[in-house]
Amino acid sequence: MAPQPILLSAEAVAKRGIHIKNHEAAFRENSATIVMPSKEAAFLNPVQEFNRDLSTLAIIAWSQILDREKKQRYMAHIEARNAKRAKRGEPETKRAKMDEDYRPYQFTILEALSATGLRSIRYAKEIPLLGTVLANDLSQSAVQAMRRNLALNFPPDRPLEEVATLQTEDASEAADTSAPTAGSSDSDSLKIHPDCKVHVNQGDAIALMYEHRDPSKRFDVVDLDPYGTAAPFLDAAVQSVADGGLLCVTCTDLAVLAGHNYPEKCWSLYGGVSVKAEYSHEVALRLVLHAIATAAGRYGRYIQPLLSLSIDFYLRVFVRVWTRPETVKLNASKTGLVYSCSKCSDFHIQPMGRATSTPNVKTGQSNIKFGSASGPPTDMRCGECGGTFHVGGPMWFGPIQDPMFCDEVLSTLDTGKHQFGTEARIRGMVSTARDELEAPFYFHPAKVAGLFHCTSPPLAPVVHALLNAGFDVSRSHCVAGSVKTNAPRAEIYDLFRTWIKANPVNPERLKEGSAAKGLLARRNEDDSPATRRSFDYETPNERTDEVINGTPSANRLVRYQMNPQANWGPGTAAKGHRKKQHRSLAPEEIARRAQEMKEQEKEKP
């Protein structure tokens, strides 16, 4: 379940010099305390505390990696300089002491769409190596709210080291049943600690990022968390993030990215078409990564996806952005179309380019030759069920997770220095993402069983059978019960046909022209690996148990969260604020997306 923010009383907030009005409320989330226009404000959606917790932890992990990289370069530079001085015969005292001279790198963050400033305040309080964070918003009322919340969290009469630590409110400061006392707050009279790391800016987010395209002005981290799509901000964002910097992107328009009713909208926003299939949430991630990679490639920059997650009603990706025009050429071989069967979801991938690496004997390095990809990858009709193909993409088919970065995130949690209300879910989801196969797309045994109109086999025997056949298997973080494998879809269908031999299908359920009719018309070939697959799972299998439950130390991880509350999902957009920042979210579109999400929820097994 999602942690609920703690509602504070008016008296508790007044102790810090802020007086809230009758229609306002004060909340505490982790280390930050903020005042909201009401208790039901959209910008304090408790479901997204996981987003804020994960983002804080991911930035901490990235900053540790960046600091180690910078220290290694510094050490190498000093070693080279000391070697030259030693060669010239200079005394030891003139040589630099490497460890003593190095100072940890203090980095900068831009939160382009800050609203109340909650995320920026948490970054300032919870990220050790943070230098400054620029909290920007277009709305004047939002900027006033940010300044008010900064005064609440960073008062000038308390040491910054004290207010920057995790606060533990006394029981007397919890909200009571009495109404808040009326008061007034003039944002111009609010006083903020002069050394506060959060700086407030009022302006258009896109214009602000374009103003920081120069390498000397770039931000180390750019965080985009809009209400809806992040597509309009991507071009400016990939130019304003420093080399090796971190770009954090949230998109909540899954009705467009993971649905099938708005292909034209998906194309106009992300340069790709969504897919109607059980693996549509992974398609959504790959469409967004393609949009980011395309935007970066125009400027000789490429992306390194670190962590890509489909979460609740939104997706969140963390990518590093690098400048190297020769590496950008690999994007074509990492991008492709997908032909997805309209009946059975069998898919075939058409790469957009080809990259062949050959070793150079003289230099010891590899030469890469680029060329056009061959195709098409399939016939006009599906070879499994006879259905027609729908075209999706282009989308990203490179790696979407970085296991080393996931390990850094988890090891940072293990230190115990950082406390998060959603720690159990962070551990479960990041561990699952780390262990995912790079093979594209997952399948759900219950969905495949529905295609055949047969009883669904338990997850353990399915994993057991695929492993016995020599394929790699993992879980997918996107959907509970889903499986990723490097086995072709045809092999998965052969597996289910083997299952059906012991669990027959009622012939009366097979309609002419249905996917089940076409799938069952095929038979396993004698040399098919499916004939050698065993569904016997009477004795425990170490490999199967590891896929299903994770490593022994991870048996109690919360991989998949239940619906945290009734009518959960994105909050209502704030009036007069997000419409100015993002004009493409018309009310009728929001209604259509809500209906689409309800339909997707009904389809979940």
Side-chain angles (χ1 to χ4, degrees):
M1 299 293 288
Q4 294 293 325
I6 300 173
L7 181 63
L8 302 178
S9 67
E11 292 77 9
V13 182
K15 293 179 182 178
R16 303 186 187 181
I18 303 295
H19 300 280
I20 59 177
K21 301 178 182 179
N22 290 329
H23 64 278
E24 296 177 327
F27 295 89
R28 191 182 80 241
E29 179 184 286
N30 212 39
S31 64
T33 303
I34 62 171
V35 175
M36 302 293 295
S38 70
K39 298 179 182 180
E40 293 78 25
F43 296 124
L44 197 65
N45 190 339
V47 180
Q48 284 205 327
E49 182 172 346
F50 176 77
N51 186 326
R52 292 183 282 269
D53 285 353
L54 177 65
S55 299
T56 303
L57 183 59
I59 294 174
I60 293 173
W62 163 85
S63 67
Q64 293 170 167
I65 294 173
L66 181 70
D67 189 59
R68 287 198 299 267
E69 292 172 348
K70 288 184 176 293
K71 185 174 183 179
Q72 289 174 359
R73 290 194 293 268
Y74 172 81
M75 299 277 281
H77 172 72
I78 295 298
E79 286 178 354
R81 190 172 68 178
N82 285 344
K84 291 181 180 179
R85 288 181 173 178
K87 189 176 180 180
R88 292 195 299 263
E90 295 184 7
E92 183 75 23
T93 55
K94 289 189 176 181
R95 301 176 194 174
K97 297 179 180 180
M98 295 177 287
D99 291 329
E100 296 179 3
D101 292 344
Y102 178 76
R103 296 181 180 179
Y105 179 68
Q106 301 285 313
F107 64 93
T108 59
I109 297 178
L110 168 65
E111 190 192 2
L113 309 162
S114 297
T116 61
L118 170 60
R119 190 179 297 250
S120 292
I121 292 171
R122 288 195 54 184
Y123 287 169
K125 288 189 172 187
E126 300 172 28
I127 300 177
L129 294 178
L130 175 64
T132 59
V133 52
L134 181 60
N136 175 77
D137 207 285
L138 180 63
S139 168
Q140 182 178 1
S141 60
V143 170
Q144 291 174 348
M146 276 192 275
R147 291 191 174 125
R148 192 179 182 192
N149 288 326
L150 286 175
L152 181 62
N153 286 270
F154 301 97
D157 56 346
R158 297 174 63 184
L160 192 63
E161 294 76 12
E162 178 183 342
V163 300
T165 57
L166 183 65
Q167 303 288 328
T168 303
E169 303 290 346
D170 296 332
S172 61
E173 292 182 327
D176 51 28
T177 55
S178 61
T181 57
S184 62
S185 66
D186 184 358
S187 60
D188 294 332
S189 64
L190 294 175
K191 295 182 180 180
I192 304 171
H193 197 288
D195 296 328
C196 176
K197 295 181 179 180
V198 183
H199 301 161
V200 178
N201 182 76
Q202 181 180 351
D204 181 83
I206 297 175
L208 176 64
M209 288 187 285
Y210 278 137
E211 291 173 358
H212 287 76
R213 288 176 293 178
D214 187 271
S216 62
K217 297 180 180 180
R218 289 173 178 168
F219 301 98
D220 295 298
V221 179
V222 174
D223 193 327
L224 300 176
D225 188 17
Y227 185 88
T229 179
F233 308 99
L234 294 181
D235 185 80
V238 296
Q239 297 182 70
S240 62
V241 63
D243 203 35
L246 185 67
L247 177 59
C248 316
V249 179
T250 298
C251 292
T252 64
D253 56 336
L254 287 188
V256 174
L257 282 165
H260 60 276
N261 292 332
Y262 314 107
E264 74 292 344
K265 184 69 173 179
C266 189
W267 174 265
S268 63
L269 291 176
Y270 300 100
V273 177
S274 54
V275 172
K276 180 184 178 181
E278 64 195 89
Y279 42 80
S280 60
H281 283 263
E282 185 176 329
V283 169
L285 288 171
R286 295 183 180 277
L287 284 169
V288 172
L289 290 174
H290 162 68
I292 299 173
T294 301
R298 298 189 184 102
Y299 308 100
R301 315 195 79 187
Y302 72 97
I303 67 168
Q304 176 193 355
L306 300 179
L307 185 61
S308 308
L309 299 177
S310 176
I311 310 165
D312 299 332
F313 56 86
Y314 63 93
L315 59 83
R316 181 74 163 167
V317 298
F318 302 89
V319 302
R320 294 189 78 176
V321 181
W322 302 88
T323 303
R324 190 179 298 165
E326 58 271 23
T327 306
V328 175
K329 298 177 183 179
L330 293 171
N331 282 357
S333 60
K334 296 179 181 179
T335 305
L337 301 172
V338 59
Y339 292 83
S340 176
C341 178
S342 58
K343 288 185 177 180
C344 72
S345 296
D346 184 20
F347 65 88
H348 301 271
I349 295 173
Q350 171 64 68
M352 305 303 292
R354 177 170 48 88
T356 306
S357 178
T358 56
N360 190 316
V361 180
K362 295 181 179 180
T363 62
Q365 299 179 348
S366 297
N367 295 330
I368 300 178
K369 183 179 180 181
F370 300 96
S372 300
S374 59
T378 183
D379 296 329
M380 294 294 294
R381 290 281 178 175
C382 176
E384 295 299 315
C385 71
T388 58
F389 286 103
H390 288 171
V391 181
M395 64 186 71
W396 176 264
F397 281 109
I400 64 174
Q401 318 290 2
D402 187 330
M404 294 182 64
F405 178 77
C406 295
D407 285 335
E408 184 76 22
V409 171
L410 296 173
S411 63
T412 303
L413 266 183
D414 292 338
T415 63
K417 297 178 180 179
H418 312 282
Q419 303 298 323
F420 300 101
T422 60
E423 178 178 339
R425 192 183 182 194
I426 290 175
R427 288 186 180 275
M429 183 163 278
V430 174
S431 297
T432 305
R434 176 197 60 191
D435 298 335
E436 280 185 356
L437 292 178
E438 287 189 11
F441 306 139
Y442 54 85
F443 76 94
H444 199 292
K447 292 284 188 179
V448 178
L451 294 173
F452 283 91
H453 295 313
C454 68
T455 58
S456 178
L459 181 61
V462 172
V463 173
H464 189 72
L466 287 170
L467 290 172
N468 284 344
F471 297 109
D472 293 328
V473 185
S474 75
R475 301 291 292 273
S476 170
H477 78 276
C478 292
V479 180
S482 56
V483 177
K484 296 197 77 172
T485 179
N486 59 350
R489 196 81 173 191
E491 298 289 353
I492 297 172
Y493 292 154
D494 274 351
L495 183 152
F496 272 80
R497 283 189 278 263
T498 302
W499 166 262
I500 289 172
K501 291 179 181 179
N503 302 269
V505 176
N506 184 355
E508 296 181 358
R509 302 186 64 186
L510 303 179
K511 296 182 180 180
E512 197 64 36
S514 65
K517 190 78 171 178
L519 290 170
L520 290 172
R522 291 176 59 86
R523 292 291 182 265
N524 295 342
E525 301 293 338
D526 293 340
D527 60 349
S528 169
T531 60
R532 300 192 300 272
R533 292 189 180 116
S534 171
F535 281 90
D536 296 334
Y537 194 64
E538 296 178 358
T539 58
N541 180 294
E542 182 177 344
R543 294 174 63 201
T544 303
D545 289 345
E546 185 173 335
V547 171
I548 295 175
N549 300 316
T551 57
S553 62
N555 283 339
R556 297 184 179 181
L557 294 180
V558 183
R559 293 186 175 187
Y560 308 100
Q561 179 170 292
M562 298 175 62
N563 289 358
Q565 58 192 31
N567 303 317
W568 69 291
T572 305
K575 295 181 179 180
H577 172 61
R578 284 304 185 207
K579 289 182 179 179
K580 294 181 179 179
Q581 283 279 18
H582 186 91
R583 299 178 182 273
S584 63
L585 286 174
E588 57 270 23
E589 182 178 352
I590 296 175
R592 287 198 302 269
R593 293 180 183 182
Q595 182 62 31
E596 179 69 11
M597 289 183 63
K598 291 180 181 179
E599 294 176 358
Q600 292 176 2
E601 189 67 25
K602 293 179 180 178
E603 294 176 357
K604 288 185 178 180

